Amino acid sequence: MTAKSTGAIGAHNAKVMNRLELTRRLVGQLKRDEAVIGGIGNANFDLWASGQRPQNFYMLGSMGLAIPISLGVAIAQPRRHVLALEGDGSLLMQLGCLSTVAQQAPKNLTIIVWDNGMYQITGGQPTTSATTADLVGIARASGIANSAWAADEAEFDRLVTTALKGEGPSLIAARIDGKPGAEKIERDPVQIRERFMRGLGVKGQGVSNQ
Amino acid sequence: MNNPVTHATTWHETVHATLKANNVKLAVYVPDRVLTPLIKSLHDDPFFTTFATTREEEALGIVSGAWMGGLHGAVLMQTSGFATIPNALASLVVPCQIPALIFVSERGTLGEFNLGQAMVCKTMRPVLNSLAVENITITRQDELAFILDRSIKQAVATQAPVTFILSPLLTGGKVFNPGMRA
Ligand SMILES: Cc1ncc(C[n+]2csc(CCOP(=O)(O)OP(=O)(O)O)c2C)c(N)n1
């Protein structure tokens, strides 16, 4: 894993944690059928491994679109909290979406960024967040004032608790280790979408034209 | 009879009224000069949630999420914007069977003055056809409401995206004007 150079722009002292453990802690706080959208690869795999809730959407391709998808769900269902789980490389691919989220300002949206400083699933090549880019700084400068690094697990829990109160949008970034995702997901896009829509109470009651 | 669809006299009034009649309440876009009157009228109508995104694939992600949450949406872009979305179509919209409504203002033909636009336009239909995404080039105001209304209903019923290519024959397009840049 690429070390974070402490003298660089965006240096921070957050503890290096584990994505699966944090995902489990996060899911453990979900009591109101919150929607969770897992980004490509490891974010998805650990979400899957933390329990296959019907309100989980596992994004198979379209690297960088977990946050836009979450924004769409949040706009469609303002009373449901929506969480996006996204890797650093994926977020860096679609940074503009942070400014869109900030401008639309959905109170019910929380973005979780897993920053391992690399494109882990493609071979561990370093991302710019490994050295120079500060993702929380970028999020704040994009207009998401409620953006913070989680210093350790306890603070991660607290930030999630606060975010779920719905004063968002908010972004929580966690430095994570190089452990790969725990389980592979079943790659069946139609079934994933269908189950998610039923989990959100959309399917079975008609969707459009009603 | 006071049907806003049949009373519409311009292409953008017809698009606006047909989206509304089909309960399509979300409109996200990366702007295009030709689309400006449509974008303005959608913004002015509180029925619609209308906003710009920074990229067209972001817009497709938003509309996909909204659909899954029970809200139908349309994406508006120009031809060059379309060239940025094949991955989002092939890896999200098509495999997940999302009935995204994609409006493309067609540049690159019928008097195009920008070589880049003319080139990128040629990539659009082959991409759509290779993904088997329904795509209809609309040239006539008298056919517009019928095409849109039927195709939106088909998209929902068959859970498939549809692309409406708005030809300069319909919209007037954009013509060369010395001093104009893009
Ligand atoms: C548009 C696009 N470009 C490249 C890829 C290949 N790719 C898949 S996952 C990935 C890395 C994702 O990195 P990150 O979001 O940081 O997650 P990590 O693998 O570190 O968990 C890449 C480059 C892709 N799927 N789509």
Side-chain angles (χ1 to χ4, degrees), chain B residues 4 6 8 10 20 39 44 46 50 56 59-60 64-65 81 86 107 112 117 121 139 155 161 174 177 179 182:
Chain B
T6 48
T10 63
K20 205 166 177 171
I39 291 168
D44 289 347
T50 308
E56 290 81 0
L60 275 184
S64 298
R107 288 281 308 269
E112 180 59 58
Q117 290 280 0
C121 176
T139 58
K174 189 169 171 184
N177 164 355

Side-chain angles (χ1 to χ4, degrees), chain A residues 9-30:
Chain A
I9 306 166
H12 53 85
N13 299 317
K15 178 182 166 191
V16 175
M17 297 176 273
N18 176 261
R19 184 179 43 237
L20 178 61
E21 191 197 333
L22 293 183
T23 305
R24 287 192 168 135
R25 297 176 86 108
L26 171 79
V27 170
Q29 287 207 45
L30 305 181

Side-chain angles (χ1 to χ4, degrees), chain A residues 45-69:
Chain A
F45 298 159
D46 282 344
L47 177 62
W48 178 273
S50 72
Q52 291 140 49
R53 307 164 60 251
Q55 294 81 21
N56 290 355
F57 181 75
Y58 310 96
M59 198 191 73
L60 297 179
S62 58
M63 180 173 168
L65 294 191
I67 296 169
I69 291 170

Side-chain angles (χ1 to χ4, degrees), chain B residues 16-36:
Chain B
H16 183 129
T18 311
L19 290 175
K20 205 166 177 171
N22 282 280
N23 206 26
V24 178
K25 290 185 172 169
L26 177 67
V28 280
Y29 63 89
V30 177
D32 167 73
R33 162 70 69 189
V34 171
L35 293 172
T36 299

